[in-house]
Amino acid sequence: MDTMLAGRFHLDSKKFVVEEVPVPVPGPGEVLVEVKAAGVCLSDVHLIDGSLVPLFATSGTVTVGHEVSGVIHTSGPDVKRGLAVGTRVTLEAGKTCGQCAGCVRRRPCTQMLTAGIDYDGGWAQYTVAREDTLIPIPESLPFDQAAIIPDAVSTPYAAVVTTAGVRPAQAVGVWGVGGVGAHNVRLARLVGAAPVIAVDPLPGARERALAFGADLALDPAAPDFADQVRAATGGRGLDFAFDCAGVPAVREQAASVLGREGALILVGITPKPLTITEGLTFNYLGKQVRGHYGGTPESVTELVRLAACGRLDLAPSITDHIPLANAVDAVNRLENKIGDPIRLILVP
C-alpha cells in the first residue's frame, strides 16, 4: 500500500483532479484513517471554483473534503487516546493551529484550520487526522450519515442550540433549504421551535422542507410574504431568522420579519458586505444580528449520540453515493443542483 486515489486541488493552477498520490504517514499524535465515506459540500465547490480562498494553506496542493468517516488503520507515535485499530470514527471538520490561547477549548479562532481547505482532507482512500479530532461512532450509525455530521448537521445544530439558543415554542424562519438549511429545519423542530417556517424560491426545496418538519414553506418572492409570516406567528414576527443561503437580499428580508428582540443568525457565508437598510424599527424592536461559523466538538459528539439513539434519522439526507474516482461529476452535480441534492457521498 504505497499509493492511493485522492481528489486534489492545485492552488496555483486552480485545477481539481483525482490522481494517485502517496499514502500519508501519521506523525506524533496522529492516526491514519481508512476513509469509508466523504460528503460533498458547497464549500468544496467554492474552493474548486475559486470563490473560497484558503487563509492558512499548508501546501500548494490540498486533498479536498471535510466531511469524513472511516476506521482507524494505523496509529502514529505518541497517540494517547488508545483508540484501537478498526475503531469506527468521524472526523471534526477542522482543527486549531495549536499556537494560540483559543486552542485550550478548541474553539474557532483566527488560526482555525479547515480540513480539505487549509490542510489535506478526506476525498481519498486514506487520510491522516490528529487524535483529538476523532469522534468514535457506534456500529448502528452508517458511515455515510456519520460523515455529514461534522458540517452539514453540526453547523446548523450549533447555530440553533448555541448561537441562537432556541427555546420551545419560539418562532423560527430558515432561508435556503439546501444541505445546511434542510438540517436547520429539522434541528429547529427537534428543539421544539414552533412554528418553523422554511423560505426558498425553489418549489422542490419547499416540498423537502415540509418533509423535513417545517410547518410552513414560503416563496420569498410572494407578494404577501410578510403577511404570511405575521399570520403564522400570530402577528409577533420571528424570534430567530436563520440565513443559510449567504445572500444579501435574504438578510434584508429576514431582518424585516423579525419580532421584538428577534435575532438574525448568519449561518451562510458570503464575502459580500452585510447591510441592513431597516431604520428606526430595528432599534425600537431591539433586533439583533449574530454571526455564526461551523460547529463545535461538543456538537459533533452530541449529534452522534442523538443519531445513535434514534432521535435524528439522517438517512433522508443522503441523496446518492458516487465513486471517489468520479468526484468531478459529484462537484458538477452539486454546483448545478442536478437532482436537487442534499448530500452526495463519495465512496473510495
mmCIF file of all heavy atoms in Angstrom, residues 4 22 25 32 35-36 72 74-75 89 132 142 159 167 179 211 218-219 225 239 250 262 266 274 281 296 331 343-344:
data_model
loop_
_atom_site.group_PDB
_atom_site.id
_atom_site.type_symbol
_atom_site.label_atom_id
_atom_site.label_comp_id
_atom_site.label_asym_id
_atom_site.label_seq_id
_atom_site.Cartn_x
_atom_site.Cartn_y
_atom_site.Cartn_z
ATOM 1 N N MET A 4 -2.416 5.841 -3.283
ATOM 2 C CA MET A 4 -3.876 5.810 -3.149
ATOM 3 C C MET A 4 -4.486 6.836 -4.096
ATOM 4 O O MET A 4 -3.793 7.711 -4.635
ATOM 5 C CB MET A 4 -4.278 6.149 -1.711
ATOM 6 C CG MET A 4 -3.946 7.574 -1.312
ATOM 7 S SD MET A 4 -4.521 8.008 0.343
ATOM 8 C CE MET A 4 -4.150 9.783 0.362
ATOM 9 N N PRO A 22 0.975 9.405 -2.819
ATOM 10 C CA PRO A 22 1.454 8.511 -1.756
ATOM 11 C C PRO A 22 0.474 8.459 -0.584
ATOM 12 O O PRO A 22 -0.157 9.462 -0.246
ATOM 13 C CB PRO A 22 2.785 9.152 -1.333
ATOM 14 C CG PRO A 22 3.205 9.979 -2.508
ATOM 15 C CD PRO A 22 1.941 10.484 -3.114
ATOM 16 N N VAL A 25 1.603 9.289 5.969
ATOM 17 C CA VAL A 25 2.120 8.595 7.148
ATOM 18 C C VAL A 25 1.787 9.425 8.384
ATOM 19 O O VAL A 25 2.122 10.616 8.438
ATOM 20 C CB VAL A 25 3.647 8.393 7.049
ATOM 21 C CG1 VAL A 25 4.185 7.731 8.316
ATOM 22 C CG2 VAL A 25 3.990 7.566 5.814
ATOM 23 N N LEU A 32 -3.821 7.217 10.999
ATOM 24 C CA LEU A 32 -4.210 7.058 9.605
ATOM 25 C C LEU A 32 -5.594 6.435 9.591
ATOM 26 O O LEU A 32 -5.829 5.385 10.198
ATOM 27 C CB LEU A 32 -3.215 6.158 8.863
ATOM 28 C CG LEU A 32 -3.493 5.950 7.371
ATOM 29 C CD1 LEU A 32 -3.301 7.259 6.606
ATOM 30 C CD2 LEU A 32 -2.595 4.850 6.796
ATOM 31 N N VAL A 35 -10.726 5.798 4.820
ATOM 32 C CA VAL A 35 -11.981 6.513 4.564
ATOM 33 C C VAL A 35 -13.045 5.569 4.015
ATOM 34 O O VAL A 35 -12.788 4.796 3.091
ATOM 35 C CB VAL A 35 -11.745 7.682 3.584
ATOM 36 C CG1 VAL A 35 -13.055 8.393 3.265
ATOM 37 C CG2 VAL A 35 -10.725 8.668 4.152
ATOM 38 N N LYS A 36 -14.227 5.659 4.590
ATOM 39 C CA LYS A 36 -15.366 4.871 4.128
ATOM 40 C C LYS A 36 -16.425 5.730 3.432
ATOM 41 O O LYS A 36 -17.171 5.238 2.580
ATOM 42 C CB LYS A 36 -16.004 4.141 5.312
ATOM 43 C CG LYS A 36 -15.092 3.118 5.985
ATOM 44 C CD LYS A 36 -14.767 1.968 5.045
ATOM 45 C CE LYS A 36 -13.957 0.894 5.759
ATOM 46 N NZ LYS A 36 -13.605 -0.228 4.856
ATOM 47 N N ILE A 72 -10.021 3.514 11.927
ATOM 48 C CA ILE A 72 -8.608 3.722 12.216
ATOM 49 C C ILE A 72 -7.805 2.568 11.630
ATOM 50 O O ILE A 72 -8.082 1.404 11.894
ATOM 51 C CB ILE A 72 -8.376 3.829 13.733
ATOM 52 C CG1 ILE A 72 -9.051 5.098 14.272
ATOM 53 C CG2 ILE A 72 -6.883 3.847 14.045
ATOM 54 C CD1 ILE A 72 -8.935 5.265 15.765
ATOM 55 N N THR A 74 -4.005 2.864 11.218
ATOM 56 C CA THR A 74 -2.679 2.825 11.849
ATOM 57 C C THR A 74 -2.542 4.025 12.787
ATOM 58 O O THR A 74 -3.015 5.117 12.467
ATOM 59 C CB THR A 74 -1.564 2.907 10.790
ATOM 60 O OG1 THR A 74 -1.787 1.943 9.770
ATOM 61 C CG2 THR A 74 -0.195 2.668 11.424
ATOM 62 N N SER A 75 -1.880 3.826 13.895
ATOM 63 C CA SER A 75 -1.600 4.938 14.807
ATOM 64 C C SER A 75 -0.149 5.357 14.690
ATOM 65 O O SER A 75 0.750 4.521 14.537
ATOM 66 C CB SER A 75 -1.886 4.531 16.257
ATOM 67 O OG SER A 75 -3.264 4.354 16.479
ATOM 68 N N VAL A 89 -14.908 5.886 13.211
ATOM 69 C CA VAL A 89 -14.820 7.285 13.639
ATOM 70 C C VAL A 89 -15.383 8.220 12.570
ATOM 71 O O VAL A 89 -15.444 7.888 11.382
ATOM 72 C CB VAL A 89 -13.354 7.698 13.917
ATOM 73 C CG1 VAL A 89 -12.803 6.959 15.122
ATOM 74 C CG2 VAL A 89 -12.469 7.471 12.686
ATOM 75 N N ASP A 132 -7.110 14.241 18.522
ATOM 76 C CA ASP A 132 -8.150 14.972 19.230
ATOM 77 C C ASP A 132 -9.291 15.411 18.323
ATOM 78 O O ASP A 132 -10.265 16.010 18.781
ATOM 79 C CB ASP A 132 -7.564 16.179 19.968
ATOM 80 C CG ASP A 132 -6.934 17.199 19.038
ATOM 81 O OD1 ASP A 132 -6.642 16.852 17.875
ATOM 82 O OD2 ASP A 132 -6.723 18.343 19.470
ATOM 83 N N PRO A 142 -24.512 4.416 10.219
ATOM 84 C CA PRO A 142 -23.831 4.170 8.944
ATOM 85 C C PRO A 142 -22.757 5.226 8.659
ATOM 86 O O PRO A 142 -22.880 6.381 9.078
ATOM 87 C CB PRO A 142 -24.969 4.251 7.917
ATOM 88 C CG PRO A 142 -26.209 3.956 8.696
ATOM 89 C CD PRO A 142 -25.975 4.555 10.045
ATOM 90 N N ALA A 159 -25.748 26.493 15.412
ATOM 91 C CA ALA A 159 -26.448 27.761 15.192
ATOM 92 C C ALA A 159 -27.748 27.816 15.987
ATOM 93 O O ALA A 159 -28.078 28.834 16.606
ATOM 94 C CB ALA A 159 -26.732 27.955 13.705
ATOM 95 N N ARG A 167 -35.518 28.189 22.094
ATOM 96 C CA ARG A 167 -36.306 27.510 23.120
ATOM 97 C C ARG A 167 -37.625 27.025 22.534
ATOM 98 O O ARG A 167 -38.081 27.544 21.494
ATOM 99 C CB ARG A 167 -36.587 28.448 24.297
ATOM 100 C CG ARG A 167 -35.330 28.972 24.985
ATOM 101 C CD ARG A 167 -35.680 29.676 26.292
ATOM 102 N NE ARG A 167 -36.664 30.726 26.106
ATOM 103 C CZ ARG A 167 -36.381 31.978 25.766
ATOM 104 N NH1 ARG A 167 -35.126 32.324 25.531
ATOM 105 N NH2 ARG A 167 -37.323 32.879 25.641
ATOM 106 N N GLY A 179 -28.277 21.882 1.670
ATOM 107 C CA GLY A 179 -27.662 20.900 2.547
ATOM 108 C C GLY A 179 -27.626 21.305 3.998
ATOM 109 O O GLY A 179 -27.861 20.496 4.898
ATOM 110 N N ALA A 211 -41.263 18.058 4.262
ATOM 111 C CA ALA A 211 -40.968 16.665 4.608
ATOM 112 C C ALA A 211 -39.987 16.587 5.772
ATOM 113 O O ALA A 211 -40.015 15.629 6.553
ATOM 114 C CB ALA A 211 -40.400 15.929 3.393
ATOM 115 N N LEU A 218 -42.502 28.871 2.393
ATOM 116 C CA LEU A 218 -42.914 30.052 1.644
ATOM 117 C C LEU A 218 -41.948 30.382 0.516
ATOM 118 O O LEU A 218 -40.742 30.142 0.618
ATOM 119 C CB LEU A 218 -43.007 31.256 2.580
ATOM 120 C CG LEU A 218 -43.952 31.150 3.774
ATOM 121 C CD1 LEU A 218 -43.885 32.437 4.598
ATOM 122 C CD2 LEU A 218 -45.372 30.869 3.308
ATOM 123 N N ASP A 219 -42.501 30.977 -0.533
ATOM 124 C CA ASP A 219 -41.713 31.528 -1.630
ATOM 125 C C ASP A 219 -41.341 32.958 -1.243
ATOM 126 O O ASP A 219 -42.224 33.779 -0.968
ATOM 127 C CB ASP A 219 -42.548 31.534 -2.909
ATOM 128 C CG ASP A 219 -41.785 32.025 -4.124
ATOM 129 O OD1 ASP A 219 -40.707 32.644 -3.969
ATOM 130 O OD2 ASP A 219 -42.268 31.807 -5.256
ATOM 131 N N PHE A 225 -45.677 37.863 1.246
ATOM 132 C CA PHE A 225 -44.756 37.102 2.085
ATOM 133 C C PHE A 225 -44.797 37.549 3.545
ATOM 134 O O PHE A 225 -44.964 36.739 4.456
ATOM 135 C CB PHE A 225 -43.323 37.229 1.543
ATOM 136 C CG PHE A 225 -42.286 36.583 2.420
ATOM 137 C CD1 PHE A 225 -42.038 35.220 2.343
ATOM 138 C CD2 PHE A 225 -41.567 37.331 3.351
ATOM 139 C CE1 PHE A 225 -41.099 34.616 3.168
ATOM 140 C CE2 PHE A 225 -40.621 36.739 4.175
ATOM 141 C CZ PHE A 225 -40.390 35.381 4.079
ATOM 142 N N ASP A 239 -38.834 34.968 16.136
ATOM 143 C CA ASP A 239 -37.842 35.109 17.198
ATOM 144 C C ASP A 239 -36.435 34.971 16.634
ATOM 145 O O ASP A 239 -35.506 35.659 17.072
ATOM 146 C CB ASP A 239 -38.084 34.048 18.282
ATOM 147 C CG ASP A 239 -39.393 34.257 19.015
ATOM 148 O OD1 ASP A 239 -39.523 35.284 19.700
ATOM 149 O OD2 ASP A 239 -40.289 33.400 18.881
ATOM 150 N N VAL A 250 -31.502 37.999 1.117
ATOM 151 C CA VAL A 250 -32.110 37.153 2.142
ATOM 152 C C VAL A 250 -32.019 37.824 3.499
ATOM 153 O O VAL A 250 -32.980 37.861 4.284
ATOM 154 C CB VAL A 250 -31.418 35.767 2.188
ATOM 155 C CG1 VAL A 250 -31.710 35.055 3.506
ATOM 156 C CG2 VAL A 250 -31.872 34.915 1.015
ATOM 157 N N GLY A 262 -35.969 39.978 18.208
ATOM 158 C CA GLY A 262 -35.631 38.875 17.317
ATOM 159 C C GLY A 262 -34.204 39.000 16.810
ATOM 160 O O GLY A 262 -33.632 40.092 16.752
ATOM 161 N N LEU A 266 -26.514 34.543 11.048
ATOM 162 C CA LEU A 266 -25.828 34.432 9.761
ATOM 163 C C LEU A 266 -25.093 33.104 9.674
ATOM 164 O O LEU A 266 -23.944 32.985 10.090
ATOM 165 C CB LEU A 266 -24.857 35.603 9.581
ATOM 166 C CG LEU A 266 -25.458 37.005 9.767
ATOM 167 C CD1 LEU A 266 -24.388 38.062 9.548
ATOM 168 C CD2 LEU A 266 -26.639 37.219 8.824
ATOM 169 N N LEU A 274 -22.432 43.046 4.756
ATOM 170 C CA LEU A 274 -23.711 42.916 5.438
ATOM 171 C C LEU A 274 -24.358 44.292 5.508
ATOM 172 O O LEU A 274 -23.770 45.241 6.032
ATOM 173 C CB LEU A 274 -23.501 42.372 6.854
ATOM 174 C CG LEU A 274 -24.698 42.436 7.805
ATOM 175 C CD1 LEU A 274 -25.822 41.544 7.295
ATOM 176 C CD2 LEU A 274 -24.283 42.032 9.204
ATOM 177 N N THR A 281 -37.221 51.142 13.265
ATOM 178 C CA THR A 281 -37.889 49.981 13.860
ATOM 179 C C THR A 281 -36.895 48.915 14.292
ATOM 180 O O THR A 281 -37.160 48.166 15.232
ATOM 181 C CB THR A 281 -38.911 49.362 12.883
ATOM 182 O OG1 THR A 281 -38.248 49.023 11.656
ATOM 183 C CG2 THR A 281 -40.053 50.332 12.615
ATOM 184 N N THR A 296 -19.086 22.819 16.694
ATOM 185 C CA THR A 296 -18.130 22.707 17.792
ATOM 186 C C THR A 296 -17.864 21.229 18.038
ATOM 187 O O THR A 296 -18.673 20.374 17.642
ATOM 188 C CB THR A 296 -18.674 23.328 19.090
ATOM 189 O OG1 THR A 296 -19.810 22.554 19.535
ATOM 190 C CG2 THR A 296 -19.103 24.776 18.875
ATOM 191 N N VAL A 331 -19.015 17.057 -7.991
ATOM 192 C CA VAL A 331 -18.905 18.513 -7.857
ATOM 193 C C VAL A 331 -19.846 19.198 -8.844
ATOM 194 O O VAL A 331 -20.550 20.158 -8.498
ATOM 195 C CB VAL A 331 -17.450 18.970 -8.082
ATOM 196 C CG1 VAL A 331 -17.370 20.494 -8.186
ATOM 197 C CG2 VAL A 331 -16.555 18.460 -6.967
ATOM 198 N N ARG A 343 -27.076 15.867 0.241
ATOM 199 C CA ARG A 343 -25.678 15.490 0.378
ATOM 200 C C ARG A 343 -25.362 14.319 -0.530
ATOM 201 O O ARG A 343 -26.003 13.266 -0.484
ATOM 202 C CB ARG A 343 -25.340 15.096 1.813
ATOM 203 C CG ARG A 343 -24.789 16.233 2.680
ATOM 204 C CD ARG A 343 -23.561 16.865 2.055
ATOM 205 N NE ARG A 343 -22.975 17.881 2.916
ATOM 206 C CZ ARG A 343 -23.191 19.195 2.824
ATOM 207 N NH1 ARG A 343 -24.046 19.652 1.922
ATOM 208 N NH2 ARG A 343 -22.572 20.040 3.624
ATOM 209 N N LEU A 344 -24.349 14.523 -1.374
ATOM 210 C CA LEU A 344 -23.766 13.454 -2.174
ATOM 211 C C LEU A 344 -22.593 12.894 -1.394
ATOM 212 O O LEU A 344 -21.842 13.622 -0.745
ATOM 213 C CB LEU A 344 -23.289 14.008 -3.520
ATOM 214 C CG LEU A 344 -24.364 14.663 -4.394
ATOM 215 C CD1 LEU A 344 -23.718 15.352 -5.603
ATOM 216 C CD2 LEU A 344 -25.383 13.630 -4.853
#
